[in-house]
Amino acid sequence: MRRSNDKEQKELVKCEGAPGSQMLSKELSEERALTQHASNSAGSQLQRTSMMITPATPLHRGTSRSPPSTSSSSSSSSSEGTLTADTPGFTVDTPVFMMSPHRRYKASSFPSGPLCSIFFSKDMLIRMNHKQHHLEIDLLRPEGEAEKIPPQDLSPLCLYRELRRLKITGMMESYQSYIWLVVWLNPQLTDLTLEMAGKAEPLDIVAIAETQKYAECKPTMREVAQGKARTEVPEKLQIVNLSLTNFVMHDAPFEWFSNTKLQKVELHRCEDGGFQLPIIMERSFKITLTV
């Protein structure tokens, strides 16, 4: 585009003394200005509709299937209290809730406090700030639907290295190969919530072990700049609060969790596959079972 504009400018300079050249230059300038204004307006509108930050008020947390309205009337009114993603209100501490269009949400479905609510997509995972601390993803799709979310759509999660809280719900199939890789790559991650919406499955100890090794081969840009070819990965998962829904529970996966870190386990509608906490974890430990 710049080369094209430079070419047009040179041609205008060549015919500067010709009759009508000044008028032509003025018309082109006005046309470019209008085109640029329209492009900026369209880009701004796209950004506002793709990501919204909503204060924690009952008005914006109703049982809606979509993010808050971004019509011109609501976006221009300051009384709505809606902030776009490029405002100072959107920080790394703002919870990001990536919704499914196939679930009807209640007020209790949303994290407390201000939040950013958008629909899930692989593209949005790539475009968002990778320094976010709190991320919730709903992958729910109706049973029998041919078009399911492929596991590789979660691959951009590996770009996030500062997560503290991660919640993935509505899983119709296993995404554990990417989930555990993300957990290893985020040693500051303390809260992990996983929900199977399809057939119950066990925690995949093979995926946990293999992704630990693979995570060592994924250094951050800072580590690469420091001349490191490998990243530092803890020996044990550093999760403090673990919540599982509709999983088959065995005791073997808990050998991978730090016995000094894991403090609370919530099991909701889980199947007993021989679950028993390791002896070293039988201490002041809180476990909640929901049938």
Side-chain angles (χ1 to χ4, degrees):
M1 179 63 72
R2 180 173 295 178
R3 291 181 178 178
S4 177
N5 290 341
D6 291 341
K7 182 178 179 180
E8 292 175 357
Q9 184 64 30
K10 290 179 180 179
E11 291 176 354
L12 286 174
V13 171
K14 289 181 180 179
C15 63
E16 186 175 1
S21 61
Q22 293 181 353
M23 181 63 69
L24 175 62
S25 175
K26 181 179 179 180
E27 290 176 353
L28 284 173
S29 298
E30 290 177 350
E31 182 180 354
R32 290 172 191 160
L34 289 172
T35 303
Q36 184 65 34
H37 176 72
S39 177
N40 291 342
S41 299
S44 177
Q45 182 66 21
L46 176 61
Q47 187 177 33
R48 285 197 297 269
T49 52
S50 62
M51 182 180 295
M52 296 298 298
I53 303 176
T54 313
T57 61
L59 176 63
H60 295 296
R61 288 171 172 241
T63 55
S64 172
R65 295 193 183 198
S66 59
S69 173
T70 56
S71 61
S72 57
S73 59
S74 61
S75 61
S76 61
S77 174
S78 59
S79 62
E80 290 290 333
T82 304
L83 304 174
T84 53
D86 56 352
T87 63
F90 183 70
T91 68
V92 294
D93 293 315
T94 303
V96 177
F97 186 60
M98 306 189 79
M99 303 184 299
S100 165
H102 303 285
R103 193 193 297 271
R104 190 166 183 84
Y105 297 95
K106 299 179 181 179
S108 58
S109 304
F110 297 88
S112 59
L115 65 93
C116 169
S117 58
I118 54 178
F119 284 121
F120 170 80
S121 72
K122 181 179 180 180
D123 182 59
M124 285 306 302
L125 272 180
I126 296 173
R127 292 167 54 192
M128 287 193 311
N129 186 353
H130 300 154
K131 295 183 178 180
Q132 292 301 128
H133 292 170
H134 184 162
L135 184 58
E136 301 191 12
I137 301 174
D138 190 352
L139 302 174
L140 184 67
R141 289 293 185 273
E143 286 192 41
E145 183 174 299
E147 186 177 351
K148 295 182 180 179
I149 297 176
Q152 56 267 30
D153 276 16
L154 287 184
S155 61
L157 275 177
C158 299
L159 300 172
Y160 294 74
R161 299 299 183 92
E162 298 185 23
L163 289 172
R164 271 64 169 176
R165 301 183 65 183
L166 177 63
K167 181 177 181 179
I168 303 179
T169 60
M171 293 184 287
M172 303 300 295
E173 57 183 278
S174 178
Y175 297 88
Q176 292 195 52
S177 58
Y178 284 107
I179 291 173
W180 295 116
L181 177 57
V182 172
V183 175
W184 285 119
L185 291 173
N186 288 268
Q188 312 95 327
L189 184 67
T190 59
D191 292 62
L192 178 64
T193 300
L194 302 175
E195 177 206 68
M196 287 297 302
K199 183 180 178 181
E201 66 175 26
L203 296 182
D204 191 341
I205 57 175
V206 174
I208 295 175
E210 291 182 349
T211 54
Q212 183 193 38
K213 297 177 182 179
Y214 185 64
E216 296 176 351
C217 304
K218 305 231 358 133
T220 63
M221 294 301 295
R222 178 179 297 180
E223 290 171 327
V224 171
Q226 294 173 348
K228 298 180 180 179
R230 305 177 73 85
T231 189
E232 296 181 6
V233 176
E235 294 183 2
K236 299 286 186 178
L237 297 168
Q238 303 296 294
I239 301 299
V240 176
N241 302 306
L242 176 66
S243 177
L244 301 172
T245 301
N246 196 27
F247 279 83
V248 179
M249 298 308 303
H250 299 277
D251 55 352
F254 285 87
E255 298 287 351
W256 285 95
F257 290 80
S258 170
N259 58 75
T260 60
K261 291 286 187 178
L262 188 62
Q263 297 291 329
K264 181 180 178 181
V265 176
E266 294 182 357
L267 304 178
H268 306 282
R269 306 193 311 276
C270 289
E271 301 178 12
D272 187 1
F275 173 66
Q276 183 178 355
L277 281 174
I279 297 177
I280 196 171
M281 290 185 176
E282 294 179 358
R283 45 180 169 73
S284 55
F285 187 90
K286 183 177 181 181
I287 182 167
T288 302
L289 298 175
T290 302
V291 180

